[in-house]
Amino acid sequence: MEGSDPRGPHSTPGMGDHGVFAIDAARSGSAGEPRGLERRILLLLPYGLDAELARNELAEAGLDPELCRDIEDLVCKLDEGAGVAVIGEEVLAGRAAEQLFRVFDAQQTWSDLPVIVLIRDDGPLPESLAPLRAFERHAKIKTTFLQRPVPSLSLVSSIRAGLKSRLRQYQVRDLLAELNDDVRQRDDFLAMLGHELRNPVSSIGYVAELFEMAGLELRPERAAWGARVISRQVRHLSRLLDQLLDVARVQSGKIELEKEPVDLCSVVEQCVESGDASGGCRQLTVKLSACSVTVLGDRVRLCQVVNNLLENAVKYTADGGRVEIEVARDGSDAILAVSDNGRGMSAATLSQVFKPFYQEARTRTGRSAGLGLGLAMVENLVRLHGGTIAAASPGEGLGSRFEMRLPRLHGEAAGEPEAKVERSASGGSLRLLIVEDNVEVAKLFAMLLKTLGHQSHVVHNGLEGVEAATASPPDLAFVDIGLPDIDGAEVARRIRAKFPDGGPRLVALTGFPERPEDGGVFDDYLLKPVSRQRVEELLRTI
């Protein structure tokens, strides 16, 4: 493979007659080498230089360079992507350098292509080699100059260093793409959250305006209608907040499961009877095992899993479609599966469906698209129960199936759980204390307690709360955590100090999902907004 070198007077003896490399015995394997575009080595050594032999020697060192025919071929392949480019200084003659610079300048911000240039002269570059000087100063490539004859160990080492650098660049590219996708999903989520909040807030606002316009002429039936609208929309808002807080708690590891033997069949029956995830105009089929299918789990959280799966199936199934939920045994596993004949999922959606905030295009079934948190919460809760969940779909328009598997209890362990012991209810009116700095919230909460048949006294700061509890001890005190003078935990500690032998029950009111570190001064916690059902359950234990 002989030829003439345009800079013949500088020719140096070496490999063959042209002195491209001085070969030594250095060899290495390819274990751990990056693969793909980040491993692509482009080699352009023209004018009779022994490129073919160079490629063979590099291949023996575990590298696999691609020979380029000419500068146009190199530019084309660089545009596709590469890990390292190795070129002889001869290719920079004429307009070749300008062609390369156009490719380099078009690189994205993450790219800093390693380019190895084989030169004949050592030391400072001659003024006549302006293209080489331009290479040396170019901001968008990482240039290494190697003087001929190049020992193979030096070239292999330089190429491997370039490949490692290039691999990190591609990793940065992928990370940037992932971050951009996360930002896009966050923006989509915020837009969806604004939409989901706007509807219930608008409904409540309309009812308030109608009541205000009616004034004293408000009819009882109209008042009852407005109350139902407000109650329904508040439940919807509370559910949105619960989803946000639950995901935050799970991801931070602050959610705790109250596990006990639970029959999945009874969980499904409870969810279906409650109607929280009603099929509406869809045909809902329930298939339950003839035998109990018992797992060790948190009944409340398992109901949350079932409701979320059913809601998801209903959301993406048109009116008249079918939704099926099934509970069965499979060896040592308990299986709960929800399937439908709705819009189905693409392969891309299947790979993303359990990620928080992920959503496909909005459904056309007329239902809310939600926040994209339901299935993420399902996956987290199933994992906390020691199980797995998988999604499957034959394709778009062909329905979907979600299958949860949990370890099944056997023998005595699967027996009915012991009944929880509750404190006996007094059956009469309770004396309650409310310590809440939000005047309107405190007033409405007191009205709710009065409607339930209990007496309540309201104060709006912590010191007044301690004084009120000391002067006339209540049966139970509701204490807001975030008070303007001393916080709720300090209020509870001071009340406890006043009653070393007992005292009132203390319940925290908080807007935060996790329980604060308070040394156990509270008997219970209520997450705002507090539902009437939760308050009634709590008061029945007094």
Side-chain angles (χ1 to χ4, degrees), residues 281-463:
C281 299
R282 293 90 180 158
Q283 178 184 344
L284 177 61
T285 302
V286 180
K287 295 182 178 180
L288 302 180
S289 169
C291 304
S292 64
V293 182
T294 306
V295 300
L296 185 64
D298 186 317
R299 173 177 285 272
V300 173
R301 294 300 182 179
L302 289 174
C303 284
Q304 188 175 355
V305 168
V306 173
N307 281 326
N308 283 346
L309 290 176
L310 284 174
E311 284 183 356
N312 183 77
V314 169
K315 182 192 306 181
Y316 293 105
T317 301
D319 290 351
R322 298 189 307 275
V323 176
E324 179 179 290
I325 182 167
E326 179 183 5
V327 177
R329 295 180 175 185
D330 183 15
S332 60
D333 288 344
I335 297 178
L336 186 147
V338 176
S339 55
D340 61 73
N341 65 344
R343 62 186 293 180
M345 292 179 283
S346 65
T349 298
L350 283 172
S351 66
Q352 304 285 324
V353 71
F354 293 112
K355 293 183 67 174
F357 312 132
Y358 176 79
Q359 287 187 335
E360 279 192 302
R362 289 185 67 85
T363 175
R364 298 176 184 175
T365 60
R367 291 174 57 92
S368 163
L371 300 180
L373 296 175
L375 292 179
M377 193 62 196
V378 165
E379 194 274 337
N380 281 318
L381 289 176
V382 172
R383 176 173 47 81
L384 288 176
H385 278 84
T388 61
I389 186 164
S393 175
E396 296 187 27
L398 299 176
S400 304
R401 176 183 171 88
F402 290 82
E403 182 177 287
M404 175 185 74
R405 286 179 174 265
L406 295 179
R408 186 168 62 86
L409 293 181
H410 305 271
E412 294 183 2
E416 291 296 322
E418 295 184 4
K420 293 185 177 179
V421 178
E422 293 186 348
R423 296 174 61 178
S424 60
S426 63
S429 175
L430 298 174
R431 290 176 292 107
L432 307 173
L433 174 64
I434 301 172
V435 187
E436 168 65 69
D437 61 314
N438 188 306
V439 177
E440 185 173 4
V441 169
K443 182 179 179 179
L444 293 172
F445 192 28
M447 291 174 61
L448 171 64
L449 295 175
K450 183 179 180 180
T451 303
L452 294 176
H454 305 291
Q455 308 170 37
S456 59
H457 177 60
V458 177
V459 297
H460 300 301
N461 64 59
L463 294 176

Side-chain angles (χ1 to χ4, degrees), residues 16-36:
D17 294 329
H18 305 288
V20 184
F21 306 107
I23 302 299
D24 62 18
R27 297 289 184 267
S28 63
S30 59
E33 292 284 346
R35 300 187 181 277

Side-chain angles (χ1 to χ4, degrees), residues 150-368:
V150 182
S152 65
L153 178 62
S154 298
L155 183 62
V156 168
S157 177
S158 297
I159 291 176
R160 287 210 171 107
L163 293 176
K164 290 179 182 178
S165 173
R166 194 60 169 168
L167 174 60
R168 287 191 291 271
Q169 293 173 35
Y170 274 86
Q171 290 171 338
V172 168
R173 178 205 63 178
D174 295 341
L175 178 60
L176 288 173
E178 184 177 343
L179 291 175
N180 288 336
D181 187 57
D182 289 344
V183 170
R184 180 190 58 77
Q185 289 191 14
R186 180 207 63 189
D187 292 343
D188 290 345
F189 164 72
L190 291 175
M192 187 64 65
L193 178 61
H195 176 83
E196 292 294 318
L197 293 176
R198 188 179 305 278
N199 289 335
V201 169
S202 297
S203 297
I204 294 172
Y206 293 147
V207 172
E209 290 180 0
L210 290 172
F211 281 6
E212 184 177 5
M213 293 169 63
L216 296 177
E217 298 180 2
L218 180 65
R219 299 191 304 274
E221 61 272 17
R222 175 68 66 164
W225 164 82
R228 289 194 297 271
V229 171
I230 292 174
S231 178
R232 184 169 60 251
Q233 298 303 334
V234 167
R235 287 198 301 271
H236 180 55
L237 288 171
S238 298
R239 187 161 191 177
L240 293 178
L241 292 175
D242 287 342
Q243 284 186 332
L244 290 170
L245 296 174
D246 277 344
V247 169
R249 280 189 289 182
V250 169
Q251 292 185 335
S252 62
K254 294 180 179 178
I255 195 169
E256 295 181 2
L257 300 180
E258 298 182 4
K259 291 186 177 182
E260 60 182 0
V262 178
D263 183 3
L264 285 183
C265 294
S266 68
V267 170
V268 171
E269 289 175 336
Q270 177 181 339
C271 294
V272 173
E273 289 174 2
S274 69
D276 289 342
S278 172
C281 299
R282 293 90 180 158
Q283 178 184 344
L284 177 61
T285 302
V286 180
K287 295 182 178 180
L288 302 180
S289 169
C291 304
S292 64
V293 182
T294 306
V295 300
L296 185 64
D298 186 317
R299 173 177 285 272
V300 173
R301 294 300 182 179
L302 289 174
C303 284
Q304 188 175 355
V305 168
V306 173
N307 281 326
N308 283 346
L309 290 176
L310 284 174
E311 284 183 356
N312 183 77
V314 169
K315 182 192 306 181
Y316 293 105
T317 301
D319 290 351
R322 298 189 307 275
V323 176
E324 179 179 290
I325 182 167
E326 179 183 5
V327 177
R329 295 180 175 185
D330 183 15
S332 60
D333 288 344
I335 297 178
L336 186 147
V338 176
S339 55
D340 61 73
N341 65 344
R343 62 186 293 180
M345 292 179 283
S346 65
T349 298
L350 283 172
S351 66
Q352 304 285 324
V353 71
F354 293 112
K355 293 183 67 174
F357 312 132
Y358 176 79
Q359 287 187 335
E360 279 192 302
R362 289 185 67 85
T363 175
R364 298 176 184 175
T365 60
R367 291 174 57 92
S368 163

